[in-house]
Amino acid sequence: MPYVLPDLSLDQLIGPAMRATEVLVRLDERVARSPVGAGFVARSHFADAVSALWLEGELVHVEDLVLHDAHMDQRAPTHELTRAHEILRLRRQVLANKPDWALGRDGLAALCGRFAAAGPMGSETQLQVPGKGSAAGGQDDEQEPEDDGLGSGSLSAELAALDAALGRANAVLDAARAPATAGRDTTLGGEAAATRNPLLYDGDWDEQERLGEWKTALAKLDGLPALLRAAVAFDAWNAIAPLQHAPWLGRLLVAALLRQAGTTTAQLAALYLGARAIGRERRQSRDRTTRLIAFVDSVHESAVAGIKEHDRLMLARVQMERRLKGRRSTSKLPQLIDLVLSRPLVSSGMIEKELGVTTAGALNLIGELDLREFTGRGRYRAWGVM
């Protein structure tokens, strides 16, 4: 059933929308001109990614996400942590591109296609076996390694045979897929749709058609104020549900919509974070006006929380910069300050990697800045600003 655009009750919506827009624009202006703007944006990505999983009932610790992003996991990453990191990467990707990229043809295909084609939160991978002629093997096609008497020649022959078997198997699979995918639009993963696992995907769920319906509804919202347009676009996304395994992508696309409209320019609105302050009964109410007001209020909450966080980082920066007086020009403390402000927390390993110091040097720098230890552990500790 196509999504029917609502008759907006402007007398109920315009007040909350104006209030939320005012606070959001004020936050964006502060971030654009702030010395801690880059750090604030980097931190907001982590907070929003964790909040996205929180809304789905999954708990991801921000320290685990920070360490996973730095490739310094202390344990095997969980499925929830992997999903949170995917959201983190998508936020960075959207903000790194032009404002109209995410909702354009290429951007929408990149953001939605990875989930439409590859499953809940991953991408297709290909098995590569190093052997004769491969980059990993480091051998030319016309050169055979000499047998040194220890079996290296037989091993090379076995690898070559395995490569040939894999090549024949891939050729058979390609030939089998070709008739099923002929004439199919592969913009949003149509090629992979023909081979989807029926245990994971509903065969009657046409993601391309649903996404086209959402884009049609979005095109009909021209002329509305940016925040009201975003609210209706998000409500339409939930009603149409274009993607089976990535319903959370709607808030990210709506945040990109606000950036495209110029409401935010220096940041990407943390809409997941603001939604945590809104009760579930309001966010998922049967009354559409209640849902729209709940979305607008979530934007207001995210902007208010952002202003408080920005002011806290400014105060922390001033306090830490006082410790730079009398330091040598080669001191690593200024770099450590920038690193601490750009992450919710840091470990000694992260400091060693980013600043190029030893473990003892990292601990000495942490002591000089008097950073707060967050974990309360004797090993695998992490620090941050108050």
Side-chain angles (χ1 to χ4, degrees):
M1 181 177 179
Y3 180 78
V4 180
L5 294 179
D7 294 329
L8 299 179
S9 303
L10 294 180
D11 55 337
Q12 301 181 45
L13 290 170
I14 198 65
M18 290 180 62
R19 182 185 63 163
T21 302
E22 177 188 0
V23 181
L24 185 61
V25 171
R26 191 192 317 154
L27 170 63
D28 193 72
E29 288 295 322
R30 290 194 186 187
V31 173
R33 293 170 170 79
S34 173
V36 298
F40 171 85
V41 171
R43 282 170 165 261
S44 68
H45 291 329
F46 286 98
D48 213 37
V50 170
S51 298
L53 270 294
W54 186 92
L55 291 175
E56 295 186 2
E58 304 289 351
L59 179 61
V60 176
H61 295 285
V62 67
E63 57 265 29
D64 291 336
L65 181 57
V66 172
L67 294 176
H68 181 70
D69 182 60
H71 305 288
M72 295 182 177
D73 302 83
Q74 301 301 333
R75 62 187 67 87
T78 63
H79 177 62
E80 292 76 17
L81 179 60
T82 304
R83 295 172 64 198
H85 190 247
E86 181 69 18
I87 298 173
L88 176 70
R89 292 170 55 204
L90 288 180
R91 284 185 57 87
R92 289 171 173 169
Q93 183 179 9
V94 170
L95 191 60
N97 284 279
K98 296 180 179 179
D100 58 350
W101 175 82
L103 295 172
R105 177 181 177 85
D106 295 338
L108 204 57
L111 295 175
C112 297
R114 60 201 305 171
F115 306 110
M121 288 297 295
S123 58
E124 294 180 343
T125 57
Q126 295 180 350
L127 176 64
Q128 295 182 355
V129 180
K132 187 174 86 170
S134 66
Q139 298 289 340
D140 294 333
D141 291 343
E142 298 179 356
Q143 294 180 350
E144 291 287 347
E146 297 181 358
D147 191 346
D148 56 2
L150 298 178
S152 61
S154 60
L155 177 60
S156 179
E158 292 179 3
L159 290 176
L162 180 58
D163 282 340
L166 288 174
R168 291 192 298 270
N170 288 332
V172 172
L173 289 175
D174 292 340
R177 291 175 180 174
T181 59
R184 180 183 293 269
D185 183 10
T186 60
T187 302
L188 295 178
E191 182 177 354
T195 59
R196 287 178 176 177
N197 190 334
L199 296 177
L200 299 177
Y201 293 91
D202 183 355
D204 297 330
W205 196 300
D206 193 333
E207 293 181 337
Q208 296 184 43
E209 180 181 352
R210 288 170 179 251
L211 189 61
E213 182 182 345
W214 181 73
K215 293 174 64 178
T216 300
L218 188 63
K220 296 179 181 179
L221 299 176
D222 292 339
L224 286 177
L227 195 53
L228 291 183
R229 187 179 180 218
V232 178
F234 178 68
D235 188 71
W237 177 275
N238 288 337
I240 299 172
L243 302 181
Q244 296 187 54
H245 294 293
W248 51 265
L249 190 61
R251 290 188 189 272
L252 182 60
L253 293 177
V254 170
L257 180 64
L258 290 173
R259 181 168 175 252
Q260 183 181 19
T263 306
T264 60
T265 57
Q267 55 150 344
L268 194 63
L271 300 184
Y272 303 104
L273 179 63
R276 295 180 60 172
I278 307 300
R280 180 178 178 272
E281 65 280 357
R282 292 185 59 200
R283 288 187 279 110
Q284 300 182 5
S285 174
R286 293 185 178 183
D287 180 63
R288 181 149 41 185
T289 301
T290 301
R291 296 197 303 267
L292 295 177
I293 295 177
F295 175 84
V296 172
D297 288 344
S298 70
V299 176
H300 178 267
E301 293 295 335
S302 68
V304 170
I307 290 177
K308 292 180 180 179
E309 175 69 6
H310 173 267
D311 293 345
R312 188 180 73 88
L313 293 180
M314 283 293 296
L315 179 60
R317 178 185 175 88
V318 171
Q319 292 176 340
M320 289 189 292
E321 285 183 341
R322 291 177 180 175
R323 302 177 182 271
L324 298 180
K325 295 182 179 179
R327 300 285 177 178
R328 296 190 300 267
S329 60
T330 58
S331 174
K332 298 286 188 179
L333 278 182
Q335 301 176 42
L336 179 58
I337 291 176
D338 293 336
L339 178 62
V340 169
L341 292 177
S342 66
R343 296 291 186 276
L345 47 85
V346 295
S347 66
S348 59
M350 293 173 61
I351 297 174
E352 296 171 32
K353 180 179 178 181
E354 296 292 334
L355 273 61
V357 298
T358 62
T359 302
L363 295 176
N364 289 336
L365 291 173
I366 291 172
E368 291 183 13
L369 283 185
D370 194 21
L371 298 177
R372 177 185 175 185
E373 205 283 316
F374 285 147
T375 62
R377 300 185 298 225
R379 300 178 61 189
Y380 305 120
R381 294 180 295 172
W383 294 265
V385 297
M386 297 291 290

